[in-house]
Amino acid sequence: MSVLELDDVSVTYRIASGEVPAVRGVSLTLDSGAALGVAGESGSGKSTLAMALLRLLPRDARVDGRILLDGEDVLTMKWGRMRAVRWAEASIVFQGAQHGLNPVRKIGDQIAEPLLVHGLARPEAARKRVAELLDQVGLPAWRARSYPHELSGGQRQRVMIAMALACSPRLIIADEPTTALDVMVQAQVLTLIKDLVAEHGISLIMISHDLSVLADVCDRLAVMYAGRIVEQGPSGEVFHDARHPYSKALAAAFPTVGDPAARLAPRGLGGDPPDPMRLPTGCSFHPRCPVALDECATLDVELWSAGERRTAACVHVRAKEEAS
Ligand code: ADP
Ligand code: MG
């Protein structure tokens, strides 16, 4: 059974100057125990999609389509149920700095909080569980008494992972969990996440702009551009033999995990991603595409079968499949 099923999900922010179509018609399925990577440059809608899954979006965001978490419709869930689902069934690890830890509370109290709030443990049992969780993420038990500023960036990210694991969720969503870390620490934290989800049979959605990071951790990849999935398939195939020109460019831009030079200037990817309020006509990628045809400026291609359990939204893929 699938843990998560998205059917034609769109997210639109309503702002003073109009509507921002941040996510457009995303459909995907996550099998139980599987790891899915969501790739794409900054602004492609990855975090918006992640937040929609647990209804963490601001009030001015409208979500259309259907999101099933363990068969339950997230968008029509009552608030009480939604709160129970967060942490206990699905939890999110954000990029260190932004939704970080509370600076004035001890690490142990913050990890224990979801356990106590959900009534899953009394204080004494919660303390034991905190020690166990710290051990699982490779930190000594005495760290429970530390404050966030006493930890390094990598250690803080381990604490966030411990919090995400606390209530034994079936799904963890990790949004750029290692982007703020330096390369060595990034590799350690990635290995930790990979091992933990495998060991506990947790399903994972990992989000990154870095395709090599995702290919290393995930079974399948979905590549997003301008709010849409433009390619989806087994991660080795998408990384080494991308069918969409944008996935190809991303794979070439991030050839090795955490390459600091590539992060600053993605190789071979000229120009910027489009503003969602001013999307190009036709294929959104055509102004930057090295192999665009005239028709790409007007024809918006749907996701097309590109082999076994693979899809890609590109006229070249369609032409090839039609010819075969
Ligand atoms: P990513 O995580 O891939 O970098 P985001 O989901 O953060 O992308 O953003 C997708 C698009 O939605 C961007 O164009 C961004 O400017 C816009 N956006 C994000 N949050 C808001 C918001 N609260 N109000 C209006 N627009 C937003
Ligand atoms: Mg983001």
Side-chain angles (χ1 to χ4, degrees), residues 178 181-190 256-261 263:
T178 62
L181 306 174
D182 67 52
V183 182
M184 288 293 291
V185 182
Q186 185 177 9
Q188 289 164 3
V189 173
L190 286 173
T256 52
V257 171
D259 182 343
R263 193 186 292 180

Side-chain angles (χ1 to χ4, degrees), residues 13 15 20 22 40-49 58 60 276:
Y13 294 101
I15 57 172
V20 184
E41 285 164 289
S42 178
S44 51
K46 308 180 299 297
S47 295
T48 299
L49 184 65
D60 62 2

